[in-house]
Coordinates of all heavy atoms in Angstrom, one line a residue:
K1093 N -35.0 127.8 101.1 CA -33.8 127.3 100.8 C -32.7 128.4 100.7 O -31.5 128.2 101.3 CB -33.7 126.4 99.7 CG -34.6 125.1 99.9 CD -34.6 124.3 98.6 CE -35.5 123.1 98.7 NZ -35.7 122.3 97.5
Q1094 N -33.0 129.4 100.1 CA -32.0 130.5 100.0 C -31.7 131.1 101.3 O -30.5 131.5 101.6 CB -32.6 131.6 99.0 CG -32.7 131.2 97.5 CD -33.4 132.2 96.7 OE1 -33.7 133.3 97.1 NE2 -33.7 131.8 95.5
L1095 N -32.7 131.4 102.1 CA -32.5 132.0 103.5 C -31.7 131.0 104.4 O -30.8 131.4 105.1 CB -33.8 132.3 104.1 CG -34.6 133.5 103.4 CD1 -36.0 133.5 103.9 CD2 -33.8 134.8 103.8
K1096 N -32.0 129.7 104.3 CA -31.4 128.7 105.2 C -29.9 128.7 104.9 O -29.1 128.5 105.8 CB -32.1 127.3 104.9 CG -31.5 126.3 105.9 CD -32.2 125.0 105.7 CE -31.7 124.0 106.7 NZ -30.4 123.5 106.3
Q1097 N -29.5 128.8 103.6 CA -28.1 128.8 103.2 C -27.3 129.8 103.9 O -26.0 129.8 104.1 CB -27.9 128.7 101.7 CG -28.4 127.6 101.0 CD -28.3 127.6 99.5 OE1 -28.0 128.7 99.0 NE2 -28.4 126.5 98.8
Q1098 N -28.0 130.9 104.2 CA -27.3 132.1 104.9 C -27.1 132.0 106.4 O -26.5 132.9 107.0 CB -28.0 133.4 104.5 CG -28.0 133.6 103.0 CD -28.9 134.8 102.6 OE1 -28.7 135.9 103.0 NE2 -30.0 134.7 101.8
L1099 N -27.8 131.0 107.0 CA -27.8 130.9 108.4 C -26.5 130.5 109.1 O -26.4 130.6 110.4 CB -28.9 129.9 108.8 CG -30.4 130.5 108.9 CD1 -31.4 129.4 109.1 CD2 -30.4 131.6 110.0
G1100 N -25.5 130.0 108.4 CA -24.3 129.6 109.0 C -24.5 128.5 110.0 O -25.1 127.4 109.8
N1101 N -24.0 128.7 111.2 CA -24.1 127.7 112.3 C -25.1 128.0 113.3 O -25.1 127.7 114.5 CB -22.8 127.6 113.0 CG -22.4 129.0 113.7 OD1 -22.9 130.0 113.4 ND2 -21.2 128.9 114.4
Y1102 N -26.2 128.7 112.9 CA -27.3 129.1 113.8 C -27.8 127.8 114.5 O -28.2 126.9 113.7 CB -28.4 129.8 113.0 CG -29.4 130.5 113.8 CD1 -29.0 131.5 114.8 CD2 -30.7 130.2 113.8 CE1 -30.1 132.1 115.6 CE2 -31.7 130.7 114.6 CZ -31.3 131.8 115.5 OH -32.3 132.3 116.2
P1103 N -28.1 127.9 115.7 CA -28.5 126.6 116.5 C -29.8 126.1 116.1 O -30.1 124.8 116.1 CB -28.6 127.1 117.9 CG -27.7 128.3 118.0 CD -27.7 129.0 116.7
L1104 N -30.9 126.9 115.5 CA -32.1 126.4 115.2 C -32.2 125.9 113.7 O -33.4 125.8 113.3 CB -33.2 127.4 115.6 CG -33.3 127.7 117.0 CD1 -34.3 128.8 117.3 CD2 -33.7 126.5 117.8
Q1105 N -31.1 125.7 113.1 CA -31.2 125.3 111.6 C -31.9 123.9 111.5 O -32.8 123.8 110.5 CB -29.8 125.1 111.1 CG -29.2 126.3 110.4 CD -28.1 126.0 109.5 OE1 -28.4 125.6 108.3 NE2 -26.9 126.1 109.9
D1106 N -31.6 123.0 112.5 CA -32.3 121.7 112.5 C -33.8 121.8 112.5 O -34.5 121.0 112.1 CB -31.7 120.8 113.4 CG -30.3 120.3 113.1 OD1 -29.9 120.3 111.9 OD2 -29.5 120.0 113.9
Y1107 N -34.3 122.7 113.4 CA -35.7 122.9 113.6 C -36.3 123.3 112.2 O -37.4 122.7 111.8 CB -35.9 123.9 114.6 CG -37.5 124.3 114.7 CD1 -38.4 123.4 115.2 CD2 -37.9 125.5 114.1 CE1 -39.7 123.7 115.3 CE2 -39.2 125.9 114.2 CZ -40.2 124.9 114.7 OH -41.5 125.3 114.8
L1108 N -35.7 124.2 111.5 CA -36.3 124.6 110.2 C -36.3 123.4 109.3 O -37.3 123.3 108.5 CB -35.4 125.7 109.6 CG -35.5 127.2 110.1 CD1 -34.5 128.1 109.4 CD2 -36.9 127.7 109.9
E1109 N -35.2 122.6 109.3 CA -35.1 121.4 108.4 C -36.2 120.4 108.7 O -36.9 119.8 107.8 CB -33.7 120.8 108.4 CG -33.5 119.7 107.4 CD -33.5 120.2 105.9 OE1 -33.5 121.5 105.8 OE2 -33.4 119.5 105.1
Y1110 N -36.4 120.2 110.0 CA -37.5 119.4 110.5 C -38.8 119.8 110.0 O -39.6 119.0 109.5 CB -37.4 119.3 112.0 CG -38.7 118.9 112.7 CD1 -39.0 117.5 112.7 CD2 -39.7 119.8 113.2 CE1 -40.2 117.1 113.3 CE2 -40.8 119.4 113.7 CZ -41.2 118.0 113.8 OH -42.3 117.6 114.3
R1111 N -39.1 121.1 110.1 CA -40.4 121.7 109.6 C -40.5 121.4 108.1 O -41.5 121.0 107.6 CB -40.6 123.1 110.0 CG -40.9 123.3 111.3 CD -41.5 124.8 111.5 NE -42.7 125.0 110.6 CZ -43.2 126.1 110.1 NH1 -42.5 127.1 110.3 NH2 -44.3 126.0 109.5
Y1112 N -39.5 121.7 107.3 CA -39.5 121.6 105.9 C -39.8 120.1 105.5 O -40.6 119.8 104.7 CB -38.2 122.0 105.2 CG -38.0 121.7 103.8 CD1 -38.7 122.5 102.8 CD2 -37.2 120.6 103.5 CE1 -38.6 122.1 101.5 CE2 -37.1 120.3 102.0 CZ -37.9 121.0 101.1 OH -37.7 120.7 99.8
L1113 N -39.1 119.2 106.1 CA -39.3 117.7 105.9 C -40.7 117.3 106.1 O -41.3 116.6 105.4 CB -38.2 117.0 106.6 CG -36.7 117.1 106.1 CD1 -35.8 116.4 107.1 CD2 -36.5 116.8 104.7
R1114 N -41.2 117.7 107.3 CA -42.4 117.3 107.7 C -43.5 117.9 106.7 O -44.5 117.1 106.5 CB -42.8 117.9 109.1 CG -44.1 117.5 109.6 CD -44.3 118.0 111.1 NE -45.8 117.9 111.4 CZ -46.3 118.4 112.5 NH1 -45.5 118.8 113.5 NH2 -47.6 118.4 112.7
L1115 N -43.4 119.0 106.3 CA -44.3 119.6 105.3 C -44.3 119.0 104.0 O -45.3 119.0 103.2 CB -44.1 121.1 105.3 CG -44.4 121.9 106.3 CD1 -43.9 123.4 106.1 CD2 -45.9 122.0 106.5
N1116 N -43.2 118.2 103.6 CA -43.0 117.7 102.3 C -42.7 116.2 102.3 O -42.1 115.6 101.4 CB -41.7 118.4 101.7 CG -42.1 119.9 101.3 OD1 -42.7 120.2 100.2 ND2 -41.7 120.7 102.2
L1117 N -43.2 115.6 103.3 CA -43.1 114.0 103.5 C -43.4 113.3 102.1 O -42.6 112.4 101.8 CB -43.9 113.5 104.6 CG -43.4 113.8 106.1 CD1 -44.3 113.3 107.0 CD2 -42.1 113.0 106.2
A1118 N -44.4 113.6 101.6 CA -45.0 112.9 100.5 C -44.1 112.9 99.2 O -44.1 112.1 98.3 CB -46.4 113.2 100.1

């Protein structure tokens, strides 16, 4: 989360968020 906040408008942000959500569905 700390690293993601520093990414600004990086195009692959949504991919990271997708992976995070998938890993934490429950």
Side-chain angles (χ1 to χ4, degrees):
K1093 290 176 182 178
Q1094 292 174 10
L1095 292 164
K1096 185 174 178 293
Q1097 287 177 351
Q1098 301 175 55
L1099 277 172
N1101 60 350
Y1102 190 63
L1104 292 177
Q1105 269 202 85
D1106 286 338
Y1107 171 73
L1108 283 177
E1109 187 68 6
Y1110 160 78
R1111 280 201 63 207
Y1112 169 75
L1113 295 174
R1114 181 178 163 183
L1115 288 167
N1116 292 276
L1117 279 175

